[in-house]
Amino acid sequence: MPSLKTRQIYSIIRSKSLLPESPQFYVDLLVWFLLLTPIALAAGATCAFFMLALEHSIHFRFSHGWIIYLLPLAGMLVALLNTGVNRLSNQTEHLKGTLLHRLITVFNTLIKIPLAFFSAVMSNLFGASVGREGTALQMSANFADGLSHLFDLHAHKRKILIFAGVAAGFGAIFGTPVAGMLFVVEVTAFAGTLSYRSLLPCVYTAMISDTACGVITDFLHIKRLNQVIAAQPLFAGNWHFNGQNPLLLAKIFLAAVLFGIIGRIYMTGLSVSRDVFAKICKPAYLRPALGGILTLLLVLLCGSRDYLGLGVISSHPPAGASVIDFFAGANNGFDWAWKLIFTLICIGSGFRGGNVTPMFFIGAGLGCVLGPWIAPEAAPLFTGIGFVCVFCAALKTPITATIIAAEVFGTENLAYYAFACVIAFAVSGSVDRRPEWLEQMLQDHTGL
């Protein structure tokens, strides 16, 4: 039996509304914990093995250069596989409302996890210029949606669960859990889709998935992007620039405007590219084949294979063109422009993967060019600013981009990154609707 003093303290706390009175609150908290924990653990583990598969596929392409000539065929086969699975998923509408339909829906949702995994690995293996985060987010969201269908959750709870899965995937694949949580909150808050009630589920899944992914990647001897960048020569040691220097701030302002314009061109270009491929090639499964052929022609035109695949590492560091090479001090002029063209063709034609990692390549590549030209004393800063600003401008997420900078580069120059991200966001265009990727996700998973 609790003592009289203990009961009095508890009574005071309840009277001051410091503790929820309804037992249902604690029941709901336990239910959310039981739902979110497996999502976070599954996201972390899946992302870790996804990165392992990508690493092996990229190195295989480096050592077997002939494989890129199979890119058109690989793209077509992957598109056919995805089309077939999606068609099978739509064949059970006559069973709607039954337990069998719910179980089939759960299976159809979960089967898209290995499908997304396979599609992205194949794209990178054969040289398509795509990212990886889109697949990580899709796999995590599908796992969350599978659970929501299994337990027949209300549409609003399903959305929270799905966005918690997205936060888990983002935090795990980049090693940036705080940015993963803020990414979901930011894109949904700007679009008026979800309120800040998603904060707790998102931060929980992002933290747990990042931890799980970190443990597994350490065991597998894989370094995530933030770990690799931190070890590069430009970021060795503790470097910090004087925030009171108005000339440096003016240079950052000009660079951020340019990064914002490039980010806007990137996203507009993706939309235009998809429309063009849809008009000139009606069968969707043939578009990646056409995109693969154009990619091979671009390789012949530019004389380099550095713009194929993920673009995080190159086959000949540190003189190559990749995100890591840029942070090691490589400066090859128009690498960022070539990567932009390669990516618009590959993603526009339907190759699977993601579009954020190419943004990092484009931004870091452009920043690596601008830094020595306009501010030699702060060249590393402009590489980092480009890295986050193109992402910020393209996805309209200034807060997330600033936190990515803090989690990847440290907080020594956080004011510069925040200032640059806000400027890039300001010139990137208005946020007047839900992002296209969010529209598609809501349509696929919740029908809202």
Side-chain angles (χ1 to χ4, degrees):
M1 289 288 292
S3 65
L4 177 62
K5 187 174 183 180
T6 301
R7 291 198 299 270
Q8 288 175 339
I9 293 174
Y10 181 74
S11 176
I12 292 172
I13 292 175
R14 289 189 60 184
S15 67
K16 299 298 182 180
S17 299
L18 296 179
L19 285 177
E21 296 187 11
S22 172
Q24 187 62 39
F25 170 82
Y26 300 100
V27 173
D28 290 342
L29 195 63
L30 178 61
V31 169
W32 278 108
F33 173 79
L34 294 175
L35 286 172
L36 294 172
T37 301
I39 292 173
L41 293 175
T46 305
C47 286
F49 288 106
F50 179 49
M51 285 188 283
L52 177 66
L54 285 176
E55 185 171 296
H56 283 292
S57 67
I58 291 169
H59 285 290
F60 184 88
R61 188 180 74 248
F62 287 164
S63 58
H64 300 80
W66 54 266
I67 200 171
I68 69 169
Y69 298 108
L70 299 178
L71 179 61
L73 178 61
M76 184 178 67
L77 293 178
V78 169
L80 282 171
L81 180 60
N82 279 272
T83 301
V85 171
N86 290 333
R87 284 182 179 176
L88 288 175
S89 301
N90 297 327
Q91 299 299 316
T92 59
E93 289 301 314
H94 62 287
L95 298 173
K96 199 167 185 178
T98 66
L99 177 61
L100 180 60
H101 180 265
R102 188 198 305 178
L103 295 176
I104 293 175
T105 302
V106 172
F107 175 79
N108 288 339
T109 302
L110 296 181
I111 198 64
K112 292 178 181 179
I113 297 175
L115 179 63
F117 188 111
F118 174 79
S119 300
V121 171
M122 289 300 101
S123 294
N124 277 281
L125 172 63
F126 292 95
S129 178
V130 295
R132 58 187 174 187
E133 68 299 320
T135 299
L137 270 58
Q138 183 181 353
M139 292 190 295
S140 303
N142 275 313
F143 187 81
D145 197 28
L147 285 185
S148 72
H149 282 296
L150 182 63
F151 295 106
D152 198 23
L153 298 182
H154 186 271
H156 180 69
K157 291 183 178 179
R158 285 176 60 200
K159 281 198 291 187
I160 293 180
L161 208 62
I162 290 168
F163 288 132
V166 171
F170 193 103
I173 199 70
F174 292 129
T176 55
V178 180
M181 176 268 294
L182 288 173
F183 175 70
V184 174
V185 173
E186 193 169 16
V187 296
T188 54
F190 271 128
T193 303
L194 205 63
S195 68
Y196 279 92
R197 70 183 64 186
S198 63
L199 267 174
L200 181 58
C202 288
V203 74
Y204 176 75
T205 54
M207 292 292 184
I208 297 299
S209 67
D210 173 62
T211 302
C213 186
V215 170
I216 297 173
T217 52
D218 287 344
F219 177 78
L220 297 174
H221 303 291
I222 300 172
K223 290 186 177 181
R224 288 184 284 180
L225 186 60
N226 59 328
Q227 296 171 311
V228 179
I229 289 177
Q232 298 309 306
L234 285 183
F235 288 87
N238 181 24
W239 52 281
H240 179 69
F241 300 104
N242 182 9
Q244 305 303 316
N245 185 339
L247 181 59
L248 179 57
L249 285 174
K251 293 176 179 179
I252 291 174
F253 175 87
L254 294 176
V257 169
L258 182 56
F259 292 136
I261 294 172
I262 296 299
R264 187 169 187 174
I265 290 173
Y266 182 89
M267 293 307 289
T268 304
L270 285 181
S271 180
V272 171
S273 179
R274 291 189 181 104
D275 292 342
V276 170
F277 275 103
K279 287 183 179 180
I280 64 177
C281 186
K282 296 299 181 183
Y285 66 90
L286 288 179
R287 293 170 198 163
L290 178 58
I293 293 172
L294 293 175
T295 298
L296 294 177
L297 292 175
L298 281 175
V299 171
L300 295 175
L301 179 64
C302 71
S304 173
R305 298 187 178 191
D306 285 347
Y307 316 116
L308 298 174
L310 199 60
V312 174
I313 59 174
S314 68
S315 60
H316 47 289
S322 72
V323 173
I324 301 305
D325 291 329
F326 296 141
F327 282 102
N331 184 343
N332 299 313
F334 290 97
D335 288 330
W336 63 273
W338 281 113
K339 185 65 173 178
L340 175 62
I341 297 171
F342 272 76
T343 305
L344 293 182
I345 289 176
C346 288
I347 296 181
S349 62
F351 281 96
R352 306 300 177 107
N355 56 28
V356 170
T357 306
M359 295 178 196
F360 291 156
F361 182 112
I362 295 165
L366 180 56
C368 192
V369 173
L370 291 178
W373 182 48
I374 63 175
E377 75 285 0
L381 182 64
F382 285 83
T383 307
I385 287 175
F387 181 89
V388 293
C389 277
V390 172
F391 166 87
C392 164
L395 297 183
K396 309 290 193 298
T397 52
I399 301 174
T400 303
T402 302
I403 299 303
I404 287 177
E407 291 187 292
V408 174
F409 308 130
T411 58
E412 290 86 355
N413 298 285
L414 186 58
Y416 290 108
Y417 293 117
F419 175 70
C421 287
V422 170
I423 299 302
F425 170 74
V427 301
S428 65
S430 60
V431 184
D432 55 359
R433 61 182 180 84
R434 295 192 294 206
E436 186 174 337
W437 69 269
L438 182 59
E439 291 276 10
Q440 187 63 45
M441 179 174 291
L442 290 175
Q443 181 179 349
D444 292 344
H445 293 300
T446 64
L448 297 176

